[in-house]
Amino acid sequence: AVNLLMISLGVRAALARDRYGYYFLAGWIPLTIATSVRSMQAAGLVDIAANDVYLYALGAVWEALALTLGIADRVLGFRRERDVARKMAEEDALTGVQSRRAIEMQLRALASEARAGGSGLGVLFVDIDHFKSINDRFGHGIGDACLASVAQRLQAELRDGDHLGRWGGEEFVALLPGANLDNAHHTSERILRAVSADPVQIASGEVAITVSIGIAVLDPLHDDMHSLLHR
């Protein structure tokens, strides 16, 4: 009765297109058959050859294998779901750069490393000029396209070890590990030229974009993450 109940639950799960129901049935049905045959032998209902008594052991091994594969598949599924959730939390969906939460965590870690190792840390706070007027004139869809374009241009002007995140709205934050004020200034100049050089092309023409950039370099003795961003 228990075997039939378990199989019926497995069939119900399989009919609901639950892939783990298939794993369960693949492991449980052979074991159920072997268990039932052995029970009938114990009751004197059937006579089983000596070699056939190993069917129960083989059924148990097969069940363990099938259920282990199912558990492994579920664990991998959990890991994939976790990775997707982490990516959604750490990546800005519109621009593809780091989210505000992720860039804050990165800044906190880099500031601690810079204070401990005595290296520099430059921060650029980038703001798209007159972005509200772009949304008002062309619509939010074009505004989103401008945000994505600016993010790509910012990323192209940063080094491999630098970090870029969207702070919110039309604001971006770039972190430059090891940079002093001159390094940060040169990077900012490149960004200004790269963003303003080519207007964003749209169906009705083009949208000219410029940005303003605030620069600050970590003061190890006085700065924490918040004061550095504020400056």
Side-chain angles (χ1 to χ4, degrees), residues 114-126:
R115 279 193 294 267
S119 58
L121 174 61
V123 175
L124 309 182
F125 203 98
V126 185

Side-chain angles (χ1 to χ4, degrees), residues 24-171:
F24 178 80
L25 289 176
W28 198 264
I29 288 177
L31 182 64
T32 297
I33 294 172
T35 302
S36 300
V37 170
R38 188 170 182 180
S39 298
M40 288 188 290
Q41 179 198 24
L45 300 177
V46 295
D47 186 20
I48 301 177
N51 291 337
D52 293 338
V53 298
Y54 296 106
L55 287 175
Y56 179 79
L58 291 175
V61 171
W62 176 258
E63 181 207 26
L65 177 62
L67 296 185
T68 298
L69 289 175
I71 292 171
D73 183 59
R74 187 60 183 138
V75 170
L76 290 175
F78 278 132
R79 293 180 65 178
R80 286 191 294 267
E81 293 167 6
R82 180 203 62 190
D83 292 342
V84 169
R86 178 179 295 172
K87 183 177 181 180
M88 291 177 64
E90 295 181 353
E91 182 179 288
D92 179 65
L94 175 62
T95 61
V97 300
Q98 294 184 50
S99 66
R100 176 166 177 166
R101 173 180 176 272
I103 204 69
E104 283 182 330
M105 294 174 61
Q106 197 71 59
L107 176 56
R108 186 177 292 108
L110 290 174
S112 297
E113 292 176 9
R115 279 193 294 267
S119 58
L121 174 61
V123 175
L124 309 182
F125 203 98
V126 185
D127 192 358
I128 300 177
D129 297 326
H130 313 297
F131 185 70
K132 184 177 184 302
S133 65
I134 295 176
N135 278 334
D136 291 343
R137 181 179 177 187
F138 300 104
H140 288 275
I142 300 301
D144 289 348
C146 292
L147 283 169
S149 177
V150 168
Q152 292 175 359
R153 298 180 193 189
L154 291 175
Q155 192 72 71
E157 297 304 320
L158 299 178
R159 304 166 301 174
D160 288 342
D162 296 337
H163 303 272
L164 177 65
R166 185 180 176 195
W167 193 252
E170 69 275 22
E171 300 168 336

Side-chain angles (χ1 to χ4, degrees), residues 145-146 149-150 153 157 190-202 205-210:
C146 292
S149 177
V150 168
R153 298 180 193 189
E157 297 304 320
R190 292 200 312 270
I191 290 173
L192 291 175
R193 290 192 295 268
V195 172
S196 61
D198 297 310
V200 175
Q201 302 300 317
I202 61 175
E206 56 185 29
V207 181
I209 299 179
T210 60

